[in-house]
Amino acid sequence: MQALGQTGLEVSRIGLGCMRMASLSNQETATVLETAVEKGINFFDHADIYGGGESEIRFAQGAKLAGLKRENLILQSKCGIRKGYFDFSKDYILESVDGILSRLETDYLDVLALHRPDALMEPEEVAEAFYHLKKAGKVRHFGVSNQNIFQMELLQSCLDQPLAVNQLQLSPAHTPLIDAGLHVNMKDDAATMRDGGLIDYCQLNNITIQAWSPFLIDLQRGIFANHPDYAPLNQTIGEIAERYHVSREAIIVAWILRHPAKIQTIVGSMNPERLSKIAQASHIVLTRPEWYEVYRSAGNLLP
């Protein structure tokens, strides 16, 4: 378990992302949730667009079948993505949260995160929406997803409580969060600061980074497992997995968890057996040489 930002919540270091839950039956969902809880996962990540809202409905039904108590679950959902545009307007945020709560069959969210940056965001309007949601008891804490430092600073300037999370893509094959910090004052491409130093900023401000898609290269090329461009990475992960007698997926997640920023990893497997194997990552602490070996085998050069 670890602290989630400055919320006072204690959450599992691995969270279950529920994007694919819409494809399951209620009983299959119950089995996945039972497995997750059995393996120590208490954090569940949703979004209003996942399955067109069906994922949240399925979660509620599965949780009832599994006999899970709401007070033992930490529920996060996200809003802001609409068909063809992003929307952080007050009216949409309030409307979206009402829909989320209805589908999840709960009175409150532990965390609401804004899903993708809205170029037309008016921070005062977002702050007003957050104020009403907090006052009504519908949302206890707030965060963002895929935002840079100044987007967070701009929003935070109007809020009366600190942002709790920033959900960002991170995997051994997708490391912009890390690269520039290793190539300070260098002239190579890796020195390009693409995010403004997000990982250090979040660590300094006690904002929990939530790593999404830990097995992904990017949205275009898919996962790196068995990908011909990432053969050395897959070989290294396989060798370390054999050393620890765990699955490759567990080593990948353990690599993220090893970072001192205390990054929470969001995994989306709906396979109970695979989820059980991934959960073993919580008990693995990679050595410094192992961590760098994974990083370098993905094609990253150290200066």
Side-chain angles (χ1 to χ4, degrees), residues 22-294:
S23 64
L24 305 183
S25 68
N26 289 343
Q27 186 55 60
E28 287 170 334
T29 302
T31 301
V32 169
L33 295 180
E34 287 169 344
T35 301
V37 171
E38 179 185 326
K39 298 302 176 182
I41 295 173
N42 73 342
F43 187 92
F44 301 91
D45 176 64
H46 298 269
D48 57 358
I49 64 166
Y50 290 167
E54 188 64 29
S55 291
E56 290 171 329
I57 294 172
R58 196 71 66 207
F59 179 92
Q61 295 301 313
K64 282 193 290 187
L65 276 176
L68 302 181
K69 295 182 179 179
R70 173 65 182 91
E71 59 267 27
N72 295 331
L73 308 176
I74 307 298
L75 301 186
Q76 171 176 286
S77 194
K78 303 183 290 294
C79 70
I81 297 179
R82 307 188 74 172
K83 189 173 182 179
Y85 64 104
F86 304 135
D87 189 350
F88 287 178
S89 66
K90 175 186 172 182
D91 288 345
Y92 177 68
I93 292 172
L94 297 178
E95 176 188 337
S96 180
V97 169
D98 283 342
I100 290 167
L101 295 179
S102 176
R103 291 188 295 272
L104 286 174
E105 298 185 31
T106 183
D107 295 328
Y108 69 95
L109 284 176
D110 294 284
V111 184
L112 174 71
L114 301 176
H115 206 160
R116 283 278 179 184
D118 176 11
L120 303 181
M121 179 185 78
E122 298 182 42
E124 298 86 355
E125 188 175 359
V126 175
E128 190 175 351
F130 285 4
Y131 171 80
H132 283 289
L133 291 169
K134 176 89 171 179
K135 185 177 180 181
K138 294 180 179 181
V139 180
R140 296 183 174 179
H141 307 284
F142 301 91
V144 296
S145 182
N146 306 297
Q147 291 202 14
N148 65 32
I149 289 172
F150 286 103
Q151 288 167 334
M152 285 191 289
E153 287 275 5
L154 177 61
L155 179 56
Q156 187 67 72
S157 70
C158 295
L159 300 180
D160 59 3
Q161 63 173 301
L163 292 168
V165 302
N166 190 0
Q167 197 167 109
L168 300 160
Q169 185 181 0
L170 176 63
S171 80
H174 185 90
T175 55
L177 283 173
I178 296 166
D179 299 336
L182 289 171
H183 291 258
V184 174
N185 200 36
M186 304 300 290
K187 294 178 71 175
D188 52 41
D189 181 65
T192 303
M193 183 67 77
R194 292 180 168 83
D195 60 18
L198 261 174
I199 202 165
D200 300 314
Y201 174 87
C202 288
Q203 199 169 352
L204 281 167
N205 289 277
N206 200 7
I207 297 168
T208 296
I209 291 176
Q210 297 174 330
W212 60 266
S213 292
F215 311 118
L216 200 68
I217 303 168
D218 54 42
L219 295 174
Q220 288 72 43
R221 291 182 288 172
I223 62 173
F224 58 81
N226 300 317
H227 195 288
D229 294 344
Y230 289 89
L233 173 60
N234 285 299
Q235 181 177 343
T236 297
I237 289 170
E239 290 171 356
I240 298 175
E242 288 183 11
R243 196 177 304 156
Y244 284 89
H245 306 290
V246 296
S247 70
R248 293 170 180 242
E249 293 94 334
I251 295 301
I252 293 165
V253 173
W255 182 82
I256 296 173
L257 298 182
R258 177 65 175 80
H259 196 281
K262 297 182 180 178
I263 298 167
Q264 184 187 38
T265 306
I266 306 298
V267 301
S269 178
M270 295 292 104
N271 182 313
E273 182 179 355
R274 186 167 185 244
L275 187 59
S276 295
K277 291 178 179 179
I278 291 171
Q280 292 177 305
S282 296
H283 309 295
I284 298 169
V285 180
L286 297 184
T287 66
R288 185 175 262 101
E290 287 169 339
W291 189 92
Y292 275 99
E293 185 182 8
V294 171

